[in-house]
Amino acid sequence: MSFKQAICIRGGKQLEGEITVQGAKNSALPILAAALLCKTQVTLYNCPRLTDCDAAMRILTTLGCNCRREGNCVTINPSVITGTAIPAALMREMRSSVIFSGALIGREKACRLSLPGGCEIGARPIDFHLAAFRKMGTEITDEHGYLDCRTNKLCGAVIRLPLASVGATENIMLAAVLADGVTEIHNAAREPEIVDLARFLTKCGAKISGAGSGLVVIEGVKELYGCDYSIMPDRIAAATYLCCGAITRGEIMLSKADIRSAEPFLSVLEQMGCSVYSFGEDSVYMNARKKLKAPSVIRTAVHPGFPTDAQPVLMALCSAVQGTTIFVETIFENRYRHACELARLGAKINVEGRVAVVEGTERLSGAELMATDLRGGAAMVVAGLFADGTTKIGNAGYIYRGYEDIEAHLKGVGADIKTV
Ligand code: UD1
């Protein structure tokens, strides 16, 4: 991840044009991990070129897989696995490396991982993941910063998640597909990326029902075989580009989007006065030429509620729209770090605990900012497109973790943006 790079934007250009939405990062990562469970080659299409996906491929390579990327097509040959340890450096670089533990326990009945470091948006513990693995018959020791997981026989189990955790639901699914017997995940997360993972695993031979509902049932099978699969479109990248268009009062057409998964976000844009039209299942047109008004309350929630990952970019938009918005962040306890940076542009945001009050202003003025995390960095790009003069966003490496070709996409619709 390059923290030396910065994104420079000269704001004030009205954006207009078409953007093709990338494949979903949060779907690609668990599916790359799921490839480990297969005996034969996996080919993934629409796999976004992101530093997080590179890190996932490095983990697969370390574990003995042969991985190749050509553009957005990734092939993985997982026929021989030579290791069961997820490198500590990669656990630090990408917290969601923890998703490989379920796949390793499923396939090799063993996994060694280091404890993921404290993170930018909250504590993000992995206790639900570990409790589920234990319930499935895995012994876990925790010493010197490493977790060693081992089992002779991985068994299906009834698991009730205290919170509908996306990562825990996916990790349990990955372990359960090759376990003996049936696993039930109660209070499972219902995010679209979980449905995508289940579709991939089913195509490889897994038996999964209920993905996308609060109860996922997995019947363990003996073996899985690789397949060709296309990763779903990224709903958060779609939301980000629509915010970029809306804050400049422009018009954007998104192609290769997933309208259904973006619905909770699209309805907020409509409520704000944007004209939003969908065409078929994968194109959406948004026009923000009319006067926009601030939504009164945005409460992040598990799917199909408003996604926490879209909270920062929407906050940037609300900071430049008449009216007051109250944000309530219910998923992560420290997800307003971008607010201080947006304030440098003149945004009026007051944060108290999990609540942020945003008072829209007519003008923001360009300044030097530092990306605080992936989506917080994206929020700074959105605000920079509106601000007078130049906005320079340092630590751009955070942004490249989740946005493929962000500079080219925004240039293509008229933004004055460059990486320095
Ligand atoms: C995933 C997404 C992330 C998104 C989040 C919520 C990926 C790679 N990342 O993250 O972009 O913001 O879902 O939609 O898909 N929790 C525990 N113990 C656990 C697990 C989670 O207390 O063992 C808590 C977390 O601290 C958090 C809440 O549960 O407060 C939800 O987190 P979770 O859904 O697990 O998020 P991730 O899977 O890490």
Side-chain angles (χ1 to χ4, degrees):
M1 202 186 304
S2 173
F3 285 100
K4 287 192 189 135
Q5 285 179 311
I7 292 178
C8 272
I9 301 170
R10 281 166 59 89
K13 298 263 190 300
Q14 205 168 39
L15 303 190
E16 202 180 306
E18 186 172 336
I19 295 177
T20 303
V21 180
Q22 68 188 55
K25 169 180 88 75
N26 287 355
S27 180
L29 296 177
I31 290 178
L32 283 164
L36 258 188
L37 293 162
C38 299
K39 292 232 147 154
T40 55
Q41 180 170 298
V42 170
T43 304
L44 300 177
Y45 298 102
N46 204 31
C47 185
R49 284 172 282 109
L50 302 170
T51 48
D52 270 14
C53 290
D54 294 343
M57 287 173 69
R58 288 209 300 282
I59 294 177
L60 286 169
T61 307
T62 311
L63 299 174
C65 300
N66 211 323
C67 296
R68 208 162 20 112
R69 177 185 276 282
E70 270 172 56
N72 289 68
C73 174
V74 169
T75 50
I76 303 132
N77 186 337
S79 50
V80 181
I81 302 293
T82 53
T84 56
I86 306 170
L90 290 168
M91 278 300 299
R92 269 195 191 280
E93 184 174 326
M94 183 177 67
R95 216 192 151 279
S96 47
S97 302
V98 72
I99 200 71
F100 281 83
S101 57
L104 277 169
I105 292 170
R107 169 134 180 197
E108 297 294 302
K109 311 285 174 269
C111 169
R112 180 175 165 87
L113 67 157
S114 57
L115 280 172
C119 192
E120 64 272 6
I121 59 175
R124 301 182 88 179
I126 56 167
D127 50 336
F128 305 162
H129 305 234
L130 301 180
F133 295 155
R134 283 196 174 101
K135 202 154 186 206
M136 295 173 78
T138 307
E139 261 184 45
I140 304 176
T141 55
D142 174 359
E143 269 179 1
H144 310 298
Y146 285 93
L147 294 168
D148 268 303
C149 313
R150 213 158 272 285
T151 176
N152 291 327
K153 190 175 175 210
L154 192 66
C155 297
V158 175
I159 292 153
R160 284 175 209 285
L161 291 175
L163 291 172
S165 155
V166 176
T169 303
E170 292 168 344
N171 227 350
I172 298 164
M173 285 165 69
L174 292 173
V177 283
L178 291 180
D180 271 9
V182 175
T183 298
E184 292 179 9
I185 311 173
H186 294 256
N187 195 28
R190 291 184 278 166
E191 268 61 8
E193 293 76 15
I194 287 168
V195 179
D196 210 32
L197 173 64
R199 275 204 200 109
F200 169 77
L201 287 168
T202 304
K203 208 169 173 197
C204 297
K207 292 192 177 157
I208 302 173
S209 61
S213 77
L215 173 61
V216 180
V217 180
I218 304 119
E219 195 185 318
V221 296
K222 290 268 174 279
E223 285 167 339
L224 294 180
Y225 289 91
C227 67
D228 292 359
Y229 192 78
S230 187
I231 306 284
M232 71 175 285
D234 195 308
R235 61 198 168 104
I236 307 302
T240 303
Y241 291 125
L242 291 177
C243 283
C244 290
I247 201 166
T248 66
R249 311 304 192 253
E251 50 187 314
I252 295 286
M253 179 84 179
L254 293 182
S255 55
K256 291 201 183 165
D258 183 272
I259 309 293
R260 278 185 61 187
S261 69
E263 192 50 49
F265 182 81
L266 295 178
S267 67
V268 171
L269 283 187
E270 278 187 310
Q271 196 190 320
M272 292 177 74
C274 298
S275 306
V276 179
Y277 303 100
S278 49
F279 300 95
E281 286 183 1
D282 68 352
S283 298
V284 60
Y285 166 84
M286 188 275 323
N287 171 328
R289 304 266 194 230
K290 277 191 258 161
K291 194 171 166 65
L292 301 186
K293 56 180 188 302
S296 46
V297 179
I298 297 293
R299 205 183 155 81
T300 64
V302 293
H303 192 77
F306 188 87
T308 173
D309 286 352
Q311 172 263 105
V313 291
L314 185 72
M315 182 176 286
L317 172 60
C318 291
S319 72
V321 165
Q322 201 182 13
T324 303
T325 306
I326 297 171
F327 283 84
V328 184
E329 173 57 59
T330 72
I331 310 291
F332 293 109
E333 64 275 21
N334 187 20
R335 206 167 196 179
Y336 289 134
R337 290 177 63 209
H338 48 280
C340 296
E341 296 297 305
L342 295 177
R344 292 178 198 272
L345 303 175
K348 295 189 179 127
I349 305 172
N350 271 311
V351 174
E352 226 180 287
R354 288 182 180 246
V355 176
V357 180
V358 181
E359 235 182 275
T361 152
E362 277 176 12
R363 190 175 162 251
L364 297 177
S365 72
E368 290 207 8
L369 311 179
M370 278 291 171
T372 46
D373 56 81
L374 163 57
R375 305 300 171 189
M380 292 168 212
V381 171
V382 173
L385 290 165
F386 177 80
D388 292 350
T390 302
T391 296
K392 185 174 174 189
I393 306 158
N395 278 350
Y398 275 126
I399 298 170
Y400 305 134
R401 286 185 48 196
Y403 293 92
E404 180 182 77
D405 296 335
I406 185 167
E407 187 188 323
H409 282 315
L410 291 174
K411 251 193 197 146
V413 293
D416 185 343
I417 178 171
K418 64 177 181 211
T419 302
V420 290

